[in-house]
Structure formats: C-alpha cells, structure tokens
Amino acid sequence: MKIVSVVGARPQFIKLSSLSKELRKKHREFVVHTGQHYDYELSRVFFSELSIPKPAYNLGIGSDEHGSQTGRMLRGIEEVLLFEKPDLALVYGDTNSTLAGALAAAKLDIPVAHVEAGLRSFVKSMPEEINRVLTDHVSSLLFCPTPTSVKNLKKEGITRGVHLVGDVMYDSMKENLAVAEKKSRIIKKLGLRKNEFYLITVHRAENTDDRSNLKKITRIVASLDRTTVFPIHPRTRKRLSELGFLNQILSRDNLLLIDPVSYLDMLLLEKNARCVLTDSGGVQKEAFWLKTPCLTLREETEWVETLGDGDNRLVGLDAGDVTKAVDSLDELTLGGSILRKGRDGEKFTRAGADARISQIILRFRKERC
Ligand code: UD1
Ligand code: UDP
C-alpha cells in the first residue's frame, strides 16, 4: 500500500512519529508537511528529536486566514497526489491541514483514513470541530481512540470503516517517556522541584482571539501560588503582546515564560508538575496518562474519558474557580495517598494503536484488490 501522511501542526508530528515507524514495516509511506507550523520549536524540533522521516514534500503554506490557508493547502496537496498517486491518504487530528488533506484526497477518489476520528466538542464555532466533522464524513477508514468517539460517529450515521484502535499519542508517549527521563535536562535547567510547580499551556482560538478570555487567562496566571512554567505558543504570545497583557504576565513572580519546548521536555514537565492547566487536547490526555491532575481551561472537552476528580477537571476561565480547584489538590493528595495514583491510566486506551492501524490498512487493501 502506498500511503501519504499529511501533517502540518505540532500534535500531528507527535502522532506521526510512532505510527510512521509501524507503517513503514508493511507499507510504503511518504510524508507531506503543509507548512502550517514552521517555527523551529513547533516543527523541526520534533522531526529531529523523534527521528520522524523527513517530509518528501513541504508545501510551505504558513499562516493565513482559515479559508485561504486551507485553500492553498488543498491546491498544493492535490498536485502532490496527482503526481504520486497514493493508494490511501492518512490524516491526523483536527487542524486545517487535516481537512485539506482529506478533501484533496476525497476529490481525487483516493480513500481517506482519519486518525483520531469521532472526537466532538459539539461547539460548531471551534475551527477544529468543523475540521473533524467534515473529515470524518469523507473518510473510508475511521480510527477511533475512545469508545465515545465510536458512539459519536454512530449518532452521525457513520458505522462503516469505524475501528476502535486506541490512541496513537499513547503509543508515542510510551515510546518516548523513558528516553525523556534519560535525555531531557529541562527540570534541572529551569530549577524545578517535583510536584512543586504548575505547567500551563494555552493556544485555542476561543481563548487567544477573544480579548475578555485572554484577560481572564492573564488573571489565572497571576493567581497561581507557585512557580509556573508557561511554554507559550507564538499565537498566544502575539495576542498577549498586541493587547498589552504580556507585561502584566511578566510582572508575576516565579513565572517561567519560555518558548515552546520539545516533546521530550514536555513529557517531563507534565510528569513532574503538581498540576497541569491547559486548553490543549493532547496535553489533557498526556497529563491523564502520566497521572498528573489537569485543570482544563475550557467549558467542554472531547476527551470525556479523562474527566474525574484528581484526573481532569473542566474549570473554564474563572480565576476564582481555578484557585478553588488548585487548593483542592491539597485535599486530593493529602497524606501522600494521591487519588489519581489509584486509578487505571489505561481505562480508556490500549497500547498498540499503531500496529492495529497498520494491520487494518493491510486488510483494507486486500478487500479492495
Ligand atoms: C493549530 C490548529 C489547532 C491545534 C494547534 C496545535 C487549526 C485551525 N488549528 O492552531 O487545532 O491545536 O495548531 O498547536 O488548524 N504561528 C507562528 N509560528 C508557527 C505557526 C503559527 O508564529 O510556526 C502563529 C501565527 O501568528 C499564526 C498563529 O500562530 O497566525 C496561529 O497558527 P495556526 O496554525 O493558524 O493555528 P494554531 O493556533 O497553531
Ligand atoms: N507539546 C510540546 N511542547 C510544548 C507544548 C506541547 O511538545 O511546548 C506537545 C504536547 O506534549 C502534546 C502536543 O504537543 O503531545 C499537544 O499539541 P498542542 O497543544 O499544540 O495541540 P492540541 O493537542 O491541542 O491539538
């Protein structure tokens, strides 16, 4: 099977990293990078650190309005597909690169396989929700990470080609955690102590593009009572600076506002943090698997399986609610009997998603021949 993997943004490189290795054992795979993310810290660092095969094509699309960005990707990907004639297009997650890859392939009658199919926030104003729904509806193979994602597809009438395979990000994490423990120097470099710092990430459009929400995030950062590590997405830095909030944030004591970190560094930060605060999908899951409490700075999550006291809690953007939630961490962890340590980190996922996906693709090929 000749497979094209279309990627373009940070979490997609991480999803691709372990899956690509598995695919290449049985298939011919090549990578198209749309260029949606282009800064070293958001793109190249992952390819070198995780030994991801160099993209055969980098379309260099860069940042733009959603329609123009997606449209230019569509055109670039179509050209590659016409030339390479792959048997299957693999797309990942829910970014504009995902949708462009799926549409370009579907229009050329090339079967589409969607990794992380069926996730829903049920919030249509989220660009990611549009990307997910449309991608799922043109996909022939739908690789679901969670039981909920299978149910979501069923409700939309999609049952054919649906496979509950587990989460490729879990495989990537498992593969890289021991390496991170060995190689990453981030904890020492930042002078951190285990369970004594908070880790925060923010990048969602609804949080960065809305002035009042960004102000609330500034208040949350100001309210945190311990050392806080904030590897800041360039989008968030830019908006904070434009709106004049960056200096407020920087005036806070014990804030380590740093550039986005590599995956190995991120895993160690997540593992050693007292608590993670985030609006990221991937970071919520990794915190859950690493048994670090997570406060999600949103009103809803696609990853409902992670929810529960001591695991992941939806706190929204009210600084008072965040303070209460942070204070209650003490109760949850009293006497060293950390609730989260008692529960099954694999309750919603199984290792081996990569191998299952590769196998299903092989079967798909046989059925078509
Ligand atoms: C994108 C995805 C989001 C995903 C996130 C992962 C869409 C609609 N959004 O959001 O689902 O969770 O990636 O991180 O696809 N920028 C840089 N350097 C870069 C890339 C971006 O400075 O290398 C800045 C630009 O100002 C750009 C802004 O970030 O306009 C937003 O970038 P974009 O790729 O549109 O969205 P993300 O917020 O990164
Ligand atoms: N990540 C990283 N460095 C950072 C922030 C995040 O390596 O500075 C990793 C994180 O460990 C996870 C993925 O990026 O694997 C999540 O991506 P992101 O938050 O950008 O997007 P989302 O998952 O919300 O789509």
Side-chain angles (χ1 to χ4, degrees), residues 9-11 36-39 42 63 66 69 94-96 127-128 131 203-204 233-235 238:
R10 171 167 68 188
Q36 177 171 349
H37 283 178
Y38 44 87
D39 284 351
L42 290 192
S63 307
H66 285 265
Q69 186 186 51
D94 53 18
T95 73
N96 289 348
E128 292 85 359
N131 293 341
H203 73 276
R204 294 247 159 250
H233 190 292
R235 168 187 206 131
K238 193 169 151 212

Short mmCIF file of all heavy atoms in Angstrom, two decimals, residues 9-11 36-39 42 63 66 69 94-96 127-128 131 203-204 233-235 238, ligand 1:
data_model
loop_
_atom_site.label_atom_id
_atom_site.label_comp_id
_atom_site.label_asym_id
_atom_site.label_seq_id
_atom_site.Cartn_x
_atom_site.Cartn_y
_atom_site.Cartn_z
N ALA A 9 0.91 20.44 11.73
CA ALA A 9 0.95 21.15 13.01
C ALA A 9 1.53 20.25 14.11
O ALA A 9 1.47 19.03 14.02
CB ALA A 9 -0.46 21.60 13.40
N ARG A 10 2.03 20.89 15.15
CA ARG A 10 2.77 20.21 16.23
C ARG A 10 2.21 18.85 16.67
O ARG A 10 2.94 17.85 16.63
CB ARG A 10 2.88 21.16 17.42
CG ARG A 10 3.41 20.54 18.69
CD ARG A 10 3.77 21.59 19.72
NE ARG A 10 2.64 22.31 20.26
CZ ARG A 10 2.74 23.38 21.06
NH1 ARG A 10 3.93 23.84 21.40
NH2 ARG A 10 1.67 23.99 21.52
N PRO A 11 0.93 18.79 17.07
CA PRO A 11 0.48 17.48 17.59
C PRO A 11 0.47 16.39 16.51
O PRO A 11 0.55 15.20 16.83
CB PRO A 11 -0.94 17.76 18.09
CG PRO A 11 -1.35 19.03 17.43
CD PRO A 11 -0.11 19.81 17.17
N GLN A 36 1.95 24.40 7.81
CA GLN A 36 1.08 25.21 8.69
C GLN A 36 1.88 25.71 9.90
O GLN A 36 1.79 26.87 10.27
CB GLN A 36 -0.13 24.38 9.16
CG GLN A 36 -1.03 25.15 10.13
CD GLN A 36 -2.34 24.47 10.45
OE1 GLN A 36 -2.72 23.49 9.79
NE2 GLN A 36 -3.06 24.96 11.42
N HIS A 37 2.64 24.82 10.54
CA HIS A 37 3.59 25.24 11.57
C HIS A 37 4.99 25.24 10.95
O HIS A 37 5.36 24.30 10.25
CB HIS A 37 3.53 24.32 12.78
CG HIS A 37 2.34 24.59 13.66
ND1 HIS A 37 2.04 23.86 14.78
CD2 HIS A 37 1.35 25.53 13.56
CE1 HIS A 37 0.94 24.34 15.35
NE2 HIS A 37 0.49 25.35 14.62
N TYR A 38 5.74 26.30 11.23
CA TYR A 38 7.02 26.47 10.54
C TYR A 38 8.15 26.90 11.48
O TYR A 38 9.31 26.75 11.17
CB TYR A 38 6.86 27.49 9.40
CG TYR A 38 6.05 28.70 9.84
CD1 TYR A 38 6.65 29.79 10.44
CD2 TYR A 38 4.66 28.70 9.71
CE1 TYR A 38 5.89 30.86 10.89
CE2 TYR A 38 3.89 29.77 10.16
CZ TYR A 38 4.51 30.84 10.76
OH TYR A 38 3.77 31.89 11.21
N ASP A 39 7.81 27.46 12.66
CA ASP A 39 8.88 27.83 13.61
C ASP A 39 9.62 26.55 14.01
O ASP A 39 9.01 25.48 14.12
CB ASP A 39 8.28 28.45 14.89
CG ASP A 39 7.80 29.88 14.67
OD1 ASP A 39 8.09 30.44 13.60
OD2 ASP A 39 7.13 30.40 15.57
N LEU A 42 8.01 24.61 16.79
CA LEU A 42 6.71 23.98 16.53
C LEU A 42 6.79 22.90 15.47
O LEU A 42 5.81 22.21 15.20
CB LEU A 42 5.69 25.03 16.06
CG LEU A 42 5.19 26.06 17.07
CD1 LEU A 42 3.99 26.81 16.51
CD2 LEU A 42 4.79 25.41 18.39
N SER A 63 1.10 30.75 7.79
CA SER A 63 -0.12 31.21 8.46
C SER A 63 -0.97 32.06 7.52
O SER A 63 -0.44 32.73 6.64
CB SER A 63 0.27 32.07 9.67
OG SER A 63 1.16 31.40 10.51
N HIS A 66 -8.31 31.26 7.75
CA HIS A 66 -8.62 29.83 7.62
C HIS A 66 -8.91 29.39 6.18
O HIS A 66 -8.38 28.38 5.70
CB HIS A 66 -9.83 29.47 8.50
CG HIS A 66 -9.49 29.41 9.93
ND1 HIS A 66 -9.15 28.25 10.58
CD2 HIS A 66 -9.40 30.39 10.85
CE1 HIS A 66 -8.87 28.52 11.84
NE2 HIS A 66 -9.02 29.81 12.03
N GLN A 69 -5.79 29.69 3.93
CA GLN A 69 -4.78 28.70 4.33
C GLN A 69 -5.21 27.30 3.86
O GLN A 69 -4.43 26.57 3.23
CB GLN A 69 -4.61 28.72 5.86
CG GLN A 69 -3.49 27.84 6.35
CD GLN A 69 -3.46 27.77 7.88
OE1 GLN A 69 -4.47 27.50 8.52
NE2 GLN A 69 -2.30 28.01 8.45
N ASP A 94 -7.34 17.27 13.85
CA ASP A 94 -8.45 18.18 13.51
C ASP A 94 -8.00 19.58 13.09
O ASP A 94 -8.68 20.56 13.33
CB ASP A 94 -9.37 18.30 14.73
CG ASP A 94 -8.60 18.69 16.00
OD1 ASP A 94 -7.47 19.19 15.87
OD2 ASP A 94 -9.14 18.50 17.10
N THR A 95 -6.82 19.67 12.49
CA THR A 95 -6.36 21.00 12.09
C THR A 95 -6.78 21.30 10.64
O THR A 95 -7.33 20.44 9.94
CB THR A 95 -4.83 21.11 12.18
OG1 THR A 95 -4.27 20.36 11.10
CG2 THR A 95 -4.29 20.58 13.49
N ASN A 96 -6.45 22.50 10.19
CA ASN A 96 -6.74 22.83 8.79
C ASN A 96 -5.97 21.91 7.84
O ASN A 96 -6.46 21.60 6.75
CB ASN A 96 -6.38 24.30 8.51
CG ASN A 96 -7.36 25.25 9.20
OD1 ASN A 96 -8.42 24.83 9.69
ND2 ASN A 96 -7.02 26.53 9.25
N PRO A 127 -12.92 26.01 15.15
CA PRO A 127 -12.46 25.58 13.82
C PRO A 127 -12.18 24.08 13.77
O PRO A 127 -12.43 23.42 12.77
CB PRO A 127 -11.18 26.39 13.59
CG PRO A 127 -10.85 27.06 14.88
CD PRO A 127 -12.06 27.07 15.72
N GLU A 128 -11.69 23.55 14.90
CA GLU A 128 -11.36 22.11 14.93
C GLU A 128 -12.59 21.24 14.75
O GLU A 128 -12.51 20.15 14.18
CB GLU A 128 -10.67 21.75 16.25
CG GLU A 128 -9.28 22.33 16.44
CD GLU A 128 -9.28 23.75 16.99
OE1 GLU A 128 -10.38 24.30 17.24
OE2 GLU A 128 -8.18 24.31 17.18
N ASN A 131 -13.41 20.93 11.15
CA ASN A 131 -12.42 20.07 10.50
C ASN A 131 -12.67 18.60 10.79
O ASN A 131 -12.58 17.74 9.91
CB ASN A 131 -11.00 20.46 10.96
CG ASN A 131 -10.59 21.84 10.48
OD1 ASN A 131 -11.18 22.37 9.53
ND2 ASN A 131 -9.61 22.44 11.12
N HIS A 203 -3.55 27.87 23.74
CA HIS A 203 -3.41 28.29 22.34
C HIS A 203 -4.71 28.30 21.55
O HIS A 203 -4.74 28.74 20.41
CB HIS A 203 -2.40 27.39 21.61
CG HIS A 203 -2.94 26.03 21.31
ND1 HIS A 203 -2.92 25.02 22.22
CD2 HIS A 203 -3.53 25.53 20.20
CE1 HIS A 203 -3.47 23.94 21.69
NE2 HIS A 203 -3.86 24.22 20.46
N ARG A 204 -5.80 27.81 22.13
CA ARG A 204 -7.05 27.69 21.36
C ARG A 204 -7.54 29.05 20.89
O ARG A 204 -7.49 30.03 21.65
CB ARG A 204 -8.15 27.07 22.22
CG ARG A 204 -7.88 25.69 22.60
CD ARG A 204 -8.84 24.71 21.96
NE ARG A 204 -8.20 23.45 21.99
CZ ARG A 204 -7.73 22.78 20.92
NH1 ARG A 204 -7.92 23.25 19.72
NH2 ARG A 204 -7.11 21.65 21.06
N HIS A 233 2.79 29.32 23.21
CA HIS A 233 2.57 29.19 21.76
C HIS A 233 2.73 30.58 21.14
O HIS A 233 2.27 31.58 21.72
CB HIS A 233 1.14 28.65 21.57
CG HIS A 233 0.81 28.22 20.17
ND1 HIS A 233 0.70 29.10 19.13
CD2 HIS A 233 0.52 27.00 19.65
CE1 HIS A 233 0.38 28.45 18.02
NE2 HIS A 233 0.27 27.16 18.31
N PRO A 234 3.35 30.68 19.95
CA PRO A 234 3.58 32.02 19.38
C PRO A 234 2.28 32.80 19.18
O PRO A 234 2.27 34.03 19.28
CB PRO A 234 4.25 31.72 18.03
CG PRO A 234 4.10 30.26 17.79
CD PRO A 234 3.91 29.61 19.12
N ARG A 235 1.21 32.09 18.91
CA ARG A 235 -0.08 32.77 18.73
C ARG A 235 -0.47 33.51 20.01
O ARG A 235 -0.93 34.66 19.97
CB ARG A 235 -1.12 31.69 18.41
CG ARG A 235 -2.52 32.17 18.49
CD ARG A 235 -3.50 31.03 18.33
NE ARG A 235 -4.73 31.56 17.81
CZ ARG A 235 -5.39 31.06 16.78
NH1 ARG A 235 -4.95 29.98 16.19
NH2 ARG A 235 -6.48 31.62 16.36
N LYS A 238 1.82 36.49 20.77
CA LYS A 238 1.50 37.62 19.88
C LYS A 238 0.25 38.37 20.37
O LYS A 238 0.25 39.58 20.48
CB LYS A 238 1.25 37.04 18.47
CG LYS A 238 1.21 38.06 17.38
CD LYS A 238 1.24 37.38 16.01
CE LYS A 238 0.53 38.24 15.00
NZ LYS A 238 -0.14 37.48 13.97
C1 UD1 B 1 -3.36 24.89 15.11
C2 UD1 B 1 -4.67 24.12 14.94
C3 UD1 B 1 -5.14 23.64 16.32
C4 UD1 B 1 -4.04 22.85 17.00
C5 UD1 B 1 -2.76 23.65 17.06
C6 UD1 B 1 -1.65 22.82 17.63
C7 UD1 B 1 -6.16 24.86 13.14
C8 UD1 B 1 -7.36 25.65 12.81
N1 UD1 B 1 -5.71 24.99 14.41
O1 UD1 B 1 -3.62 26.03 15.91
O2 UD1 B 1 -6.26 22.80 16.14
O3 UD1 B 1 -4.48 22.54 18.31
O4 UD1 B 1 -2.39 24.05 15.73
O5 UD1 B 1 -0.64 23.62 18.14
O6 UD1 B 1 -5.65 24.16 12.32
N2 UD1 B 1 2.38 30.87 14.31
C9 UD1 B 1 3.72 31.15 14.42
N3 UD1 B 1 4.61 30.19 14.03
C10 UD1 B 1 4.23 28.95 13.57
C11 UD1 B 1 2.85 28.70 13.46
C12 UD1 B 1 1.95 29.65 13.83
O7 UD1 B 1 4.12 32.23 14.85
O8 UD1 B 1 5.10 28.12 13.26
C13 UD1 B 1 1.41 31.92 14.74
C14 UD1 B 1 0.94 32.80 13.59
O9 UD1 B 1 0.75 34.08 14.10
C15 UD1 B 1 -0.40 32.17 13.25
C16 UD1 B 1 -0.90 31.69 14.60
O10 UD1 B 1 0.27 31.26 15.28
O11 UD1 B 1 -1.28 33.09 12.65
C17 UD1 B 1 -1.89 30.56 14.52
O12 UD1 B 1 -1.36 29.45 13.80
P1 UD1 B 1 -2.33 28.35 13.16
O13 UD1 B 1 -1.54 27.27 12.60
O14 UD1 B 1 -3.32 29.03 12.29
O15 UD1 B 1 -3.16 27.86 14.41
P2 UD1 B 1 -2.69 27.28 15.80
O16 UD1 B 1 -3.18 28.20 16.86
O17 UD1 B 1 -1.26 26.95 15.79
#
